Amino acid sequence: SAVISQKPSRDICQRGTSLTIQCQVDSQVTMMFWYRQQPGQSLTLIATANQGSEATYESGFVIDKFPISRPNLTFSTLTVSNMSPEDSSIYLCSVEGPVVYNEQFFGPGTRLTVL
Amino acid sequence: DQQVKQNSPSLSVQEGRISILNCDYTNSMFDYFLWYKKYPAEGPTFLISISSIKDKNEDGRFTVFLNKSAKHLSLHIVPSQPGDSAVYFCAASSDRGSTLGRLYFGRGTQLTVWP
């Protein structure tokens, strides 16, 4: 299975600021995803990070609020822009492929608190 | 609208006995189901999965049962061990060809196994 690291592991931010979360994988992967888990809720997909092209966003999530980069097959960033307390969540990246496609592996998550 | 539901937020079981975690889904297009285990401050860890063409999949102490007509699956852990204490998430995927793509998660069940 892929080994995934995320930075930062946690942060406390002020309203109106932005935070960029990094996801690094120890091997080249085909699919990378960003999920959010709000307190007491399930994990919800924000977007699929596409290498070399714009991310594909799920309903309810927009690029201006959650810009995503994926410059290569092992790295991606998610920015949470103009934060409000409602953005307080755990943000997780996950990966799939290129060998095994019936499993998704998750990073340890970034716990974000917005004051 | 929650398409994957875990109606029991918590379950407490004595060590050595069976743990049964339940999951219901509403989308008949789901054709692949996964269970993840999550410890505090860590990302979800893949546990076991099942395709809709099967009704049972077993891996050591873990067995997943799928009842398509009832849109219900369950995870059995036998025998339960204190190290199994974690939050268990049920997830589902609809047919996207060769990849899982977006996973739809339940809200999780906190399993506590006591000595």
Side-chain angles (χ1 to χ4, degrees):
Chain A
S1 63
V3 177
I4 306 166
S5 60
Q6 286 185 231
K7 290 182 181 179
S9 58
R10 58 175 60 224
D11 208 341
I12 300 174
C13 301
Q14 295 296 320
R15 181 195 300 259
T17 62
S18 298
L19 176 72
T20 296
I21 302 167
Q22 299 179 5
C23 177
Q24 179 74 56
V25 190
D26 68 342
S27 60
Q28 293 186 340
V29 294
T30 309
M31 312 284 287
M32 292 185 77
F33 308 91
W34 286 97
Y35 285 83
R36 178 177 75 178
Q37 184 185 16
Q38 294 177 301
Q41 303 297 312
S42 59
L43 283 74
T44 300
L45 182 66
I46 297 171
T48 301
N50 301 310
Q51 195 264 329
S53 64
E54 199 169 279
T56 304
Y57 290 83
E58 297 296 317
S59 176
F61 298 97
V62 295
I63 187 172
D64 290 346
K65 176 67 175 177
F66 298 102
I68 288 171
S69 77
R70 189 173 174 196
N72 56 53
L73 294 177
T74 64
F75 185 79
S76 178
T77 66
L78 168 74
T79 299
V80 187
S81 304
N82 189 24
M83 288 183 286
S84 67
E86 293 70 34
D87 295 320
S88 297
S89 298
I90 299 174
Y91 292 86
L92 302 110
C93 71
S94 73
V95 303
E96 189 179 340
V99 176
V100 177
Y101 285 96
N102 60 356
E103 296 177 16
Q104 274 187 21
F105 301 99
F106 283 81
T110 297
R111 182 179 293 272
L112 170 63
T113 302
V114 184
L115 303 177
Chain B
D1 182 31
Q2 195 79 10
Q3 298 187 51
V4 176
K5 300 178 183 179
Q6 293 176 258
N7 292 321
S8 298
S10 64
L11 175 67
S12 182
V13 172
Q14 188 175 23
E15 180 179 8
R17 297 195 178 255
I18 185 172
S19 295
I20 300 176
L21 297 102
N22 294 303
C23 178
D24 298 293
Y25 61 96
T26 59
N27 190 339
S28 58
M29 297 300 293
F30 288 150
D31 65 346
Y32 201 84
F33 304 89
L34 307 91
W35 283 94
Y36 284 85
K37 180 170 71 173
K38 186 180 184 301
Y39 293 117
E42 295 183 10
T45 302
F46 170 77
L47 198 56
I48 192 170
S49 62
I50 188 167
S51 166
S52 61
I53 62 174
K54 297 184 177 181
D55 55 17
K56 176 182 175 181
N57 189 26
E58 193 170 353
D59 184 2
R61 297 186 297 115
F62 303 92
T63 303
V64 56
F65 295 92
L66 175 62
N67 183 334
K68 286 178 60 180
S69 61
K71 294 190 177 68
H72 177 84
L73 62 156
S74 61
L75 175 68
H76 293 212
I77 306 173
V78 183
S80 301
Q81 300 173 355
D84 296 328
S85 298
V87 177
Y88 288 78
F89 289 98
C90 172
S93 170
S94 58
D95 185 8
R96 290 194 179 204
S98 61
T99 69
L100 287 176
R102 174 181 181 175
L103 293 180
Y104 296 80
F105 282 85
R107 294 188 180 184
T109 297
Q110 171 70 57
L111 173 65
T112 302
V113 181
W114 48 281

